[in-house]
Amino acid sequence: MTDNLADRVRHWIAQDPDPVSRTELQQLLDALPATEAELADRFSGPLTFGTAGLRGPLRAGPNGMNLAVVRQAAAGLVNWLTKHEPGGLLVIGYDARRGSHEFALETARVATGSGMRAALLPRPLPTPVLAYAVRAMDAVAGVMVTASHNPPQDNGYKVYLGEHLGGPLGAGAQIVPPADQEIEAEIRAVKLLSEVPLGHPGTVLGEDILDSYLTAAAAVVQDDQPKDLAVAYTPLHGVGGKVLGDAFLRAGFALPAVVPAQAEPDGAFPTVAFPNPEEPGAMDLVLALAAERRADIVIANDPDADRCAVAVPVGNGNGWRMLRGDEVGVLLADHLMRLGRTGTYATTIVSSSMLRAMAAKRGVGYAETLTGFKWLARAAPDLAYGYEEALGICVAPWMARDKDGITAALLVAELAAGLKAELRTLTDRLDELAAEFGLYVTDQLSVRVDDLDEIGRMMAHLRAKLPTSLLDEPVTSTEDLLDRPAESASDVIILRTDTARVVVRPSGTEPKLKAYLEVVEPVSEADVTAARGRAAATVRALRTEVAAALGIWSVSP
């Protein structure tokens, strides 16, 4: 271990305001040389602002989420805010993960210490409630302490801007460049944590802010639509359970049946390996509950309830099928279009291109953005609806310019109840859309890595030898988004043939490389089942070809 690194560890210990973190680092320092690799990793660099803020493992040191890092981040954020809107209101929310409440209080103390007003949500609540509060309270900005669906050892720090700084399109939306780089610079300029002024821990808001959110959420569905629906639900140990239940009751639905073992917030997430509805096994308990209760549909939120997953029964009692995010996305878009909602319908470059076809035929606006709701939120002034394939859906942009798993679940329930009243299902409606527009089948090849450098090596491998054909069709276009102007550049490669599309990019929130696959299969109304079989086989073949193009020779299903 170098003397320079040892000095940096000692310097950090001297500044760290948390005695538990100081002890943790001192024990590692005392255990050298056995702990050299661990300390080197913790001091390899600071956490940096990525997707809307910070996210990392809960551990002491600059390359982790802890009280010292949060104080520094809050000080940088507050310094940036006060340069633009001195004395403004900062609204702070937090989930039930380890450290979330403490990090929220520390942020409030930094804000009030610099002359800002700080208001905390009344208890651990979903991220969309914070996004709503930023708009509803005319706040300068908002902070949400959450790591969303990351593993239990992680936490994070998301930043939202009000209309004062974000503009009309960014009111209540996550930060985008150049604000994130400017805030990052302010954070790096904070050198001595002991000199950061601290004030009182802010004002704790009453339940009226949640009541206001619930009133707005319930208004997303229509009073005169059918409400008879049996729902099995899980919040996956997160903070969405009671809020979703209250929203369903206000909207006129029965309370969903909730998985008892996952009903209460628990930052340890004891029943799942990864608290993400998309991960294998995460939905097992709610699917078992659905079978037991003979539910019509299954709904799940991720732990901070900004995503909504849906599962439907397979015919003849053959179990349940998770709908892909693209399937849920186009179902809700179709529902709103048929209800007459005008404006722009938006999605991202990695989502299904079916929405584009639907918007063109239905005569509504369409927009496509880079991945992430920070971009989708700003897709158009008249944004009517937005979704991304990773289960993020915004059905009420006037409430919050962010994904919202609570209002999305309400709209899913309205659609499913209406179809049930006609003796039809969500699967029936998907088949009807396939007959109308063709069968758009999407899948994903996701490669989790331990070494982040491996992602760069795979992207470099792909760029060095781009495929000229896929599925025995010539690649008709290749787009490398790194070649775009700086303000819209991104580490993304898009390949297209006449019937397929592949989008490859590093994940913005997890140590993964992702390849998004899509094939389009022509279909007639009498041929939907056969077309699904053909498309599934085609997607499997495409996965294999893309894996080879990335230099991966063993691909799990």
Side-chain angles (χ1 to χ4, degrees):
M1 181 173 180
T2 67
D3 291 339
N4 179 262
L5 178 55
D7 288 344
R8 285 194 288 135
V9 175
R10 295 187 187 98
H11 177 71
W12 186 271
I13 291 173
Q15 286 203 83
D16 196 321
D18 184 359
V20 175
S21 291
R22 293 198 301 269
T23 300
E24 182 182 326
L25 287 177
Q26 188 60 55
Q27 288 175 343
L28 289 171
L29 201 56
D30 293 342
L32 287 170
T35 55
E36 181 174 347
E38 173 72 13
L39 278 172
D41 182 45
R42 292 182 184 224
F43 284 79
S44 60
L47 287 183
T48 55
F49 262 59
T51 302
L54 302 172
R55 192 173 294 188
L58 286 159
R59 61 181 186 178
N63 194 17
M65 283 294 295
N66 53 70
L67 205 63
V69 165
V70 167
R71 179 180 292 186
Q72 186 181 32
L77 170 63
V78 167
N79 288 344
W80 184 82
L81 291 172
T82 53
K83 286 180 178 179
H84 295 84
E85 289 286 336
L89 172 65
L90 179 66
V91 184
I92 304 162
Y94 56 98
D95 66 8
R97 285 178 178 266
R98 290 187 296 124
S100 288
H101 187 221
E102 292 79 6
F103 296 164
L105 289 174
E106 187 73 3
T107 300
R109 293 176 68 209
V110 172
T112 58
S114 293
M116 292 190 71
R117 291 172 291 135
L120 275 74
L121 294 185
R123 51 189 167 85
L125 287 169
T127 293
V129 178
L130 183 277
Y132 170 82
V134 172
R135 289 173 69 100
M137 299 182 68
D138 196 28
V140 171
V143 166
M144 181 69 195
V145 184
T146 180
S148 190
H149 55 276
N150 273 40
Q153 63 268 25
D154 289 356
N155 212 328
Y157 198 85
K158 297 176 73 172
V159 178
Y160 295 77
L161 294 181
E163 187 170 358
H164 303 273
L165 297 176
L169 295 186
Q174 300 170 37
I175 55 172
V176 294
D180 53 357
Q181 291 103 330
E182 293 172 359
I183 294 169
E184 174 74 16
E186 292 286 351
I187 293 171
R188 301 282 76 83
V190 177
K191 300 302 182 184
L192 294 176
L193 296 182
S194 58
E195 294 182 358
V196 174
L198 301 176
H200 62 85
T203 301
V204 178
L205 297 171
E207 292 290 322
D208 54 324
I209 187 64
L210 177 59
D211 183 73
S212 175
Y213 168 83
L214 288 169
T215 298
V220 166
V221 300
Q222 302 181 59
D223 292 336
D224 60 352
Q225 293 296 305
K227 299 294 193 299
D228 176 26
L229 190 72
V231 178
Y233 168 72
T234 177
L236 285 181
H237 300 293
V239 294
K242 188 175 187 310
V243 176
L244 182 134
D246 289 346
F248 266 57
L249 290 177
R250 290 197 185 204
F253 295 100
L255 271 176
V258 184
V259 176
Q262 297 174 337
E264 296 301 319
D266 186 342
F269 307 107
T271 67
V272 291
F274 289 94
N276 180 351
E278 296 180 294
E279 292 285 347
M283 299 283 284
D284 287 356
L285 292 181
V286 72
L287 294 178
L289 177 66
E292 175 190 329
R293 298 292 185 90
R294 297 185 178 180
D296 296 311
I297 63 169
V298 165
I299 292 175
N301 289 134
D302 65 339
D304 69 328
D306 65 351
R307 287 172 169 83
C308 175
V310 180
V312 295
V314 178
N316 302 318
N318 290 325
W320 292 78
R321 179 175 81 86
M322 283 284 294
L323 296 184
R324 300 197 66 83
D326 283 313
E327 292 178 307
V328 179
V330 298
L331 278 170
L332 295 185
D334 167 67
H335 180 57
L336 292 175
M337 289 176 188
R338 288 186 293 118
L339 288 174
R341 183 182 292 184
T342 58
T344 296
Y345 287 70
T347 191
T348 70
I349 59 172
V350 302
S351 303
S352 173
S353 52
M354 185 174 181
L355 184 61
R356 179 193 293 272
M358 292 171 60
K361 186 172 182 179
R362 306 279 175 80
V364 298
Y366 174 79
E368 191 173 291
T369 73
L370 293 173
T371 308
F373 251 90
K374 62 183 181 181
W375 303 113
L376 270 177
R378 297 167 170 85
D382 64 341
L383 184 66
Y385 171 81
Y387 94 89
E388 59 183 355
E389 58 77 41
L391 306 177
I393 303 168
C394 176
V395 304
W398 57 89
M399 282 181 61
R401 292 253 167 171
D402 199 25
K403 53 188 177 289
D404 183 345
I406 304 297
T407 52
L410 288 173
L411 202 66
V412 168
E414 179 181 67
L415 172 58
L419 290 168
K420 180 183 178 181
E422 299 170 354
L423 303 180
R424 298 158 64 219
T425 66
L426 295 177
T427 303
D428 293 331
R429 185 61 193 143
L430 284 171
D431 286 349
E432 292 162 3
L433 288 171
E436 182 178 359
F437 294 99
L439 187 61
Y440 288 72
V441 176
T442 58
D443 198 2
Q444 188 180 126
L445 170 61
S446 182
V447 185
R448 185 179 291 273
V449 299
D450 296 322
D451 180 3
L452 290 177
D453 290 340
E454 184 62 24
I455 292 176
R457 286 191 285 271
M458 285 187 283
M459 292 297 291
H461 186 280
L462 178 62
R463 285 189 168 96
K465 194 174 182 180
L466 290 167
T468 57
S469 67
L470 292 168
L471 301 172
D472 294 326
E473 293 182 343
V475 172
T476 56
S477 71
T478 300
E479 187 177 6
D480 190 335
L481 271 54
L482 282 181
D483 296 333
R484 287 184 174 183
E487 63 273 11
S488 60
S490 186
D491 189 9
V492 178
I493 294 174
I494 304 173
L495 307 170
R496 291 184 178 89
T497 73
D498 288 341
T499 62
R501 186 200 64 186
V502 176
V503 183
V504 184
R505 61 179 280 270
S507 170
T509 58
E510 298 177 274
K512 289 180 178 180
L513 180 73
K514 294 185 175 183
Y516 303 83
L517 317 176
E518 180 179 54
V519 299
V520 183
E521 181 77 27
V523 60
S524 64
E525 190 166 355
D527 189 38
V528 174
T529 301
R532 290 194 186 280
R534 293 194 301 270
T538 304
V539 167
R540 286 195 296 271
L542 185 59
R543 280 173 59 89
T544 300
E545 292 189 24
V546 171
L550 292 170
I552 306 165
W553 307 112
S554 176
V555 183
S556 59

